[in-house]
Amino acid sequence: MNPLPPIATRDRAALSNTQPGTYRAFAARELAPYADAWHASETFPMATIKRVAAEGYLGMTLPRRYGGGEASWSALAQLAEAFGWACSAARSLLTVHSMVAHTIERCGSDEQRACWLPRLACGEQLAAFALSEPEVGSDANAVATSARSEGDDYVLSGTKKWTTFAETADVFLVFAQEPSGLAAFVVERSTPGLEVDPIRGLLGVRAGGTCTVRLNGCRVPRANRLGRPGMGGRFALTTALVHGRLTVAAGCVGLAQAALEASARYTSERHQFGQPLMSFQLVRRLITDMSVQTEAARGLTQRAARLLEATQPDGPTATAQAKYYAAIVAAKATADAVQLHGGSGCSSEHSVQRVFCDAKVMELIEGTNEIHQITLAQDVYRRHGAVLQTNGNANVFGKTDA
């Protein structure tokens, strides 16, 4: 494993106390006071999206020539943590919008970058990431949405599901199958045949504008296809998921931090048996575990960000590790927070109810816990020269000569 790279000059500013404080202050002012109400109403105000855009957050990592801030991965992770601490729906907006923008910046042509990135950077247009389908989740190779070449266009047909912020998105990054394999297309909301249906009653991230997106013979210009036939779609998907996993990992750290702060406050104020809850050893054990595990998840996330900044080959794996662990930590911390709040934790009067529901979603998106357990183990075996071989119906690991 490569050693952790030193912090670059630009990244020292991103890791200073001023930027994280600015992010937290914005989240505390514009997001946290309203998150419970948005969760209950399953809405996210456009006025708040405009304030997020006005701060430059939607394009913070894009090059300046496209109107972005050229911020580091570390700065993006710190912003995502602050948003996750305040409101997971806001963190979801940051994740899906920046996933699409980053993928166009990395995988698009000069013409495609010039067309979409300036509008995405300033928030003039909002983006959504459309990969999952009613029958397709973890297995991206099984995407059933089809792309048929027809003259100067592609005709897209299929259904996408669980598309976050599709309710307000202006453009969609849609993954579809063509004869040469998986392909990625930028599809404008105004495209004839595109339908968006909101999904209500979700457990968590209820204000995330999650929708089903139907593509009924949508005719998309050939110029909207990212990359070349063959591996272009796969590279676009990998690029997007690395970006998404880092922000989700950081958002999970924010959720755990919110649970920790709420629990520390409640257990110091609530009295039982003539003494504050904080005086009981079992309560202190939960608070200690919550604190240490949150810091560990934060450390993994920051390490992943620095490896990505240094373009180290371990970066994507480190990002998957961070997302996997941070999601587990967020789920445990928020469950413990509900436990420490007792019956009050089950009430909408306390935000721990919302963060508990949001944290469960984090164990499913950007790779389920179980998928990460499989792929991260494969990476360990690969590092040790082992390969997966098939022996009848059983899978066994054999040692290579390398």
Side-chain angles (χ1 to χ4, degrees), residues 13-194:
L15 291 173
S16 69
N17 292 326
T18 56
Q19 275 192 309
T22 300
Y23 302 153
R24 170 84 177 223
F26 176 87
R29 181 180 68 252
E30 302 290 348
L31 304 176
Y34 316 106
D36 288 341
W38 296 337
H39 179 82
S41 65
E42 301 183 70
T43 59
F44 197 87
M46 184 58 68
T48 301
I49 295 177
K50 290 180 178 179
R51 282 192 282 274
V52 171
E55 294 292 327
Y57 295 152
L58 294 182
M60 66 180 297
T61 61
L62 292 176
R64 288 193 177 90
R65 64 181 177 277
Y66 298 118
E70 287 193 18
S72 66
W73 288 96
S74 294
L76 177 66
Q78 289 162 349
L79 177 64
E81 179 181 333
F83 276 27
W85 167 82
C87 173
S88 284
R91 196 275 313 145
S92 294
L93 168 68
L94 178 70
T95 292
V96 298
H97 183 88
S98 59
M99 280 173 75
V100 175
H102 176 70
T103 303
I104 293 173
E105 193 264 321
R106 287 289 309 278
C107 305
S109 64
D110 289 341
E111 292 78 10
Q112 290 169 333
R113 297 186 192 105
C115 176
W116 285 299
L117 292 186
R119 287 178 284 176
L120 293 176
C122 70
E124 178 185 337
Q125 287 189 325
L126 300 176
F129 183 79
L131 173 65
S132 296
E133 299 179 357
E135 302 300 327
V136 178
S138 300
D139 185 6
N141 290 323
V143 163
T145 298
S146 64
R148 185 181 77 254
S149 178
E150 192 172 292
D152 293 332
D153 300 325
Y154 281 94
V155 179
L156 272 58
S157 299
T159 301
K160 297 297 182 179
K161 198 170 184 181
W162 316 121
T163 306
T164 307
F165 273 95
E167 196 166 4
T168 53
D170 301 293
V171 296
F172 299 81
L173 184 60
V174 176
F175 289 84
Q177 296 285 2
E178 59 175 347
S180 61
L182 194 66
F185 301 86
V186 179
V187 182
E188 302 276 354
R189 189 185 191 92
S190 59
T191 303
L194 189 146

Side-chain angles (χ1 to χ4, degrees), residues 316-351:
T317 297
T319 304
Q321 291 172 336
K323 191 275 165 182
Y324 168 66
Y325 184 70
I328 292 173
V329 168
K332 184 178 186 304
T334 56
D336 287 347
V338 171
Q339 192 72 17
L340 289 170
H341 281 71
S344 296
C346 299
S347 166
S348 59
E349 295 178 2
H350 290 268
S351 294

